[in-house]
Amino acid sequence: MSTLDDRPASSAVGEAQSANPGGVAALMQSPVAIRLGAILLLTVGLTLLQLSGRAFWQGFVINLGIFMILVLSLNLASGFTGVFSLGHIGFMALGAYGSAILTLPLAKKADYLPNLPAWLAAVHFDFYLGPFPLGFLLATLLAAGLVAGVALLVGLVLMRLSGHFVAVATLGFLVIVRVILFNADNFTRGSRTFSNVTPYTGLWWVWCWAILTLYVVWRLKYSAYGRAMFAQREDSLAAQAIGLAILPPRLLAFVVSAFFTAVAGSLYAHFITSFSPTVFYFDLTFRVITMLIVGGLGSVSGSVLGTVAIMALAEALRRLEDVTLLYGMSQITLAVILIVIIIYRPNGLLGRREIVLARLFRKGGEPSP
Amino acid sequence: MRAAAEDLTAAQLMGININRIIALAFAIGSGLAAIAGLLFAVQAGQINPYMGFTPVLKAFIAAVIGGFGSIAGAVVGGFVLGALEVLLTALPGIGDILPPGMVSPGAQALIQQWLPSSLTGYRDAFVFVALILMLLFRPNGILGRPDREEMR
């Protein structure tokens, strides 16, 4: 499950080590080997899950992957730059609706959305390349690309604000998206449920995108762009004084994060197959923010940990609820646990630190050089 | 209370028990909100557990528009927001108020098709656009006084 990487900065050291002959011990310290090992482990786990045919757990793991993408990208936008966005679920909604409209087969589209403009009614991304649903991939990329464009325009305005103001303004963006989705009947069926979406999303789709998101966010964190994001978050005056512009790193984080949020929206749409604008609102917003804050703002592995912790806890409590018949207790307990975490670990479980797989192994083995 | 709002650490150094002040402010604010809730429920004639959400959001917007920390600002913000909402609901759409003959019939049809005949559905969107404009151009609200840029 855990797919945490070594930081790219130290990979040169790691590769030098792995070049030394030394068998398993040396291999255990090579970040590349550990990365491949983690991906292999995940692949084996997913294959087993796929073969087991347990629909419930498959659904749970798909949801886990989707939330991981959401939390990681929100971390990029909010944790790295300190610009707190409450509007990301709006990007998710746009991604979900955009890709769902694109993948709808022609016959269904004519039936279901009769008032679409001609150019949109004629496109259908439901083609396959052999067994591979290429149309779904293209529709996701197209929708996410469009959303990234929207994010660029919105970001050019909103990323100039900071503090509480940007939170309120992004919240405004969420409300505006919702109002538009409700009123653009011709495209979204308004407040009626949008169903008939082909269920493309499976374990592999979600986890390939999740790994890609993890990789991109991780690389960004230790790139020059990422350091600029953290610098202007720590002290905007000092960052400006050494010649860092405030807007470009914020905008980059916002746009990349909107792209992946839209991807998560597309995956979600093709997973639950029917939804309405009410799905993408405060409830989802606060769930993602909870996972982010529990994990730690600015920590990539914290996002992974926070998502897994909250999802597992919520599921365990829900089961307990079914046994004890105390309905509603799970939400209360979850809220109390959150309050306790915030009081005792105000920076989340990990704060800004990272769990580094290679270091975990090193502790068990010989001391690091 | 105002000292604590200005600078928590400095207020503490002056011997003010800031935790007590914050708790007190929270209690008074909650009490006033409960009175508003009572009035709201009596006016609406029905209650549900989620009824407080929209008013809180709107109160927040009104506070931003009027200016945080200013009592008169809260009043002004509330009135401005309320007037804006009612106007957006009551005014007809652009397609309906254009005098006949001002634009060609084709353009008129296009406007009526693409611009909503009433803005009611988009009310919240306009309110938030107004809010975002407010935040960009007068972040301290109508009556708030401008902050000094703080150097640390």
Side-chain angles (χ1 to χ4, degrees):
Chain A
M1 188 29 274
S2 79
T3 49
L4 313 168
D5 278 340
D6 193 356
R7 68 181 64 199
S10 64
S11 66
V13 182
E15 266 151 3
Q17 279 173 355
S18 70
N20 293 338
V24 184
L27 204 63
M28 293 280 271
Q29 288 186 13
S30 149
V32 177
I34 286 168
R35 244 175 265 172
L36 287 178
I39 289 178
L40 195 70
L41 212 63
L42 181 72
T43 314
V44 170
L46 289 180
T47 313
L48 286 178
L49 189 64
Q50 187 87 45
L51 292 177
S52 74
R54 292 196 168 184
F56 173 80
W57 285 109
Q58 286 173 359
F60 181 77
V61 172
I62 287 176
N63 256 324
L64 190 68
I66 292 175
F67 272 103
M68 205 170 280
I69 301 175
L70 286 173
V71 175
L72 281 168
S73 45
L74 186 66
N75 198 356
L76 172 58
S78 299
F80 287 16
T81 64
V83 177
F84 212 84
S85 167
L86 291 172
H88 259 62
I89 298 301
F91 294 128
M92 186 189 178
L94 290 179
Y97 272 96
S99 64
I101 291 172
L102 288 176
T103 59
L104 218 53
L106 270 188
K108 271 187 191 166
K109 199 178 262 186
D111 221 28
Y112 199 58
L113 298 167
N115 296 325
L116 276 185
W119 56 271
L120 194 55
V123 293
H124 56 110
F125 284 84
D126 55 345
F127 44 88
Y128 281 72
L129 188 76
F132 179 74
L134 185 66
F136 175 46
L137 180 63
L138 290 180
T140 304
L141 288 173
L142 199 59
L146 284 175
V147 171
V150 172
L152 182 67
L153 292 178
V154 173
L156 272 174
V157 179
L158 293 192
M159 290 300 108
R160 291 164 200 280
L161 303 167
S162 28
H164 310 302
F165 298 131
V166 81
V168 186
T170 47
L171 185 73
F173 172 73
L174 177 62
V175 174
I176 291 170
V177 166
R178 178 182 150 100
V179 167
I180 290 174
L181 289 180
F182 263 128
N183 285 286
D185 297 39
N186 294 352
F187 297 90
T188 64
R189 290 170 56 80
S191 55
R192 286 170 298 166
T193 311
F194 192 109
S195 49
N196 281 332
V197 184
T198 322
Y200 286 118
T201 303
L203 285 170
W204 298 108
W205 276 107
V206 169
W207 281 94
C208 285
W209 275 113
I211 297 297
L212 182 68
T213 314
L214 185 71
Y215 180 74
V216 169
V217 172
W218 184 274
R219 289 306 296 256
L220 258 178
K221 180 171 181 179
Y222 293 106
S223 70
Y225 302 111
R227 298 197 192 276
M229 290 170 197
F230 278 97
Q232 63 84 27
R233 166 184 123 160
E234 293 305 318
D235 193 328
S236 65
L237 280 176
Q240 277 171 306
I242 58 163
L244 279 175
I246 300 288
L247 194 58
R250 285 186 176 185
L251 209 52
L252 179 74
F254 198 64
V255 170
V256 173
S257 134
F259 180 89
F260 283 110
T261 309
V263 166
S266 168
L267 292 170
Y268 193 63
H270 293 84
F271 171 57
I272 58 171
T273 69
S274 67
F275 46 87
S276 69
T278 42
V279 174
F280 306 101
Y281 213 37
F282 293 125
D283 208 37
L284 206 52
T285 305
F286 290 126
R287 256 165 81 190
V288 173
I289 290 177
T290 310
M291 292 173 184
L292 174 62
I293 292 193
V294 166
L297 284 163
S299 165
V300 179
S301 39
S303 290
V304 176
L305 191 70
T307 315
V308 175
I310 297 288
M311 291 281 287
L313 199 61
E315 182 55 31
L317 285 170
R318 199 183 61 79
R319 303 226 150 182
L320 205 64
E321 195 174 61
D322 282 346
V323 175
T324 56
L325 296 178
L326 287 169
Y327 290 104
M329 270 316 282
S330 72
Q331 282 169 331
I332 296 177
T333 319
L334 200 57
V336 170
I337 291 174
L338 290 179
I339 294 172
V340 170
I341 290 180
I342 294 304
I343 290 176
Y344 288 101
R345 294 199 71 105
N347 293 319
L349 292 175
L350 288 188
R352 268 182 59 185
R353 285 163 298 148
E354 300 283 358
I355 298 175
V356 179
L357 278 190
R359 243 179 257 157
L360 288 183
F361 285 118
R362 215 168 282 155
K363 261 179 206 162
E366 60 210 60
S368 60
Chain B
M1 211 174 273
R2 281 164 57 193
E6 195 87 16
D7 190 331
L8 275 184
T9 322
Q12 209 165 11
L13 288 172
M14 290 299 168
I16 295 169
N17 184 347
I18 51 169
N19 281 334
R20 218 195 75 201
I21 294 293
I22 291 172
L24 184 67
F26 198 72
I28 296 175
S30 308
L32 290 173
I35 295 176
L38 183 67
L39 295 173
F40 195 76
V42 171
Q43 194 228 14
Q46 55 171 6
I47 54 172
N48 69 63
Y50 299 104
M51 61 181 278
F53 202 84
T54 318
V56 163
L57 208 56
K58 287 186 177 159
F60 195 64
I61 299 165
V64 172
I65 290 178
F68 264 121
S70 148
I71 296 172
V75 176
V76 171
F79 273 117
V80 168
L81 185 69
L84 193 64
E85 289 204 333
V86 173
L87 281 178
L88 287 173
T89 313
L91 284 179
I94 298 166
D96 300 331
I97 54 172
L98 278 178
M102 191 177 142
V103 289
S104 68
Q108 177 99 29
L110 206 69
I111 288 175
Q112 264 169 352
Q113 189 194 344
W114 284 105
L115 293 177
S117 68
S118 160
L119 297 173
T120 313
Y122 290 94
R123 192 182 70 186
D124 289 352
F126 279 105
V127 168
F128 273 97
V129 169
L131 171 81
I132 290 171
L133 291 177
M134 196 74 203
L135 288 174
L136 278 174
F137 295 112
R138 260 199 86 96
N140 291 301
I142 296 174
L143 295 181
R145 59 196 160 72
D147 271 340
R148 287 168 287 110
E149 182 82 359
E150 206 170 299
M151 304 288 275
R152 276 171 297 167

